[in-house]
Amino acid sequence: MSVRQPLSLVELFRATPAKSSLLTLAPLALALGQVCNSYVNGVSPAVSIAFACIMVGFAVVAMGHHAAEHRVRRLETEYGTEQA
């Protein structure tokens, strides 16, 4: 019976620091920048908060995909790809 162990963010950042940073820090910085921009320019906070929530959701989904991609790559290097 296999036990599924989720990858930690630290492990992903160690394996691929550039891609992990782009997928987590960039959307979060963009969301924070949009909230600050709406505050400075007097735009409705509902619009900027909705945008920030969408960007946080994107970061979560993108990191999940990145973790799955990393697991597949690690399994392929560990066991090799079998040719049928």
Side-chain angles (χ1 to χ4, degrees):
M1 189 167 164
S2 68
V3 176
R4 183 175 178 190
Q5 297 176 351
L7 292 173
S8 66
L9 283 177
V10 175
E11 185 178 347
L12 285 174
F13 272 96
R14 285 183 184 159
T16 54
K19 188 172 184 178
S20 297
S21 296
L22 285 174
L23 291 176
T24 55
L25 301 178
L28 297 178
L30 187 62
L32 180 64
Q34 182 63 31
V35 170
C36 293
N37 184 33
S38 71
Y39 176 74
V40 169
N41 291 320
V43 177
S44 171
V47 173
S48 62
I49 290 173
F51 178 80
C53 289
I54 290 170
M55 291 309 293
V56 168
F58 169 79
V60 168
V61 170
M63 280 305 288
H65 182 269
H66 178 51
E69 181 182 42
H70 180 70
R71 275 193 302 270
V72 167
R73 192 176 319 118
R74 191 175 61 190
L75 284 172
E76 285 178 348
T77 57
E78 186 176 337
Y79 296 110
T81 55
E82 295 181 14
Q83 299 293 328

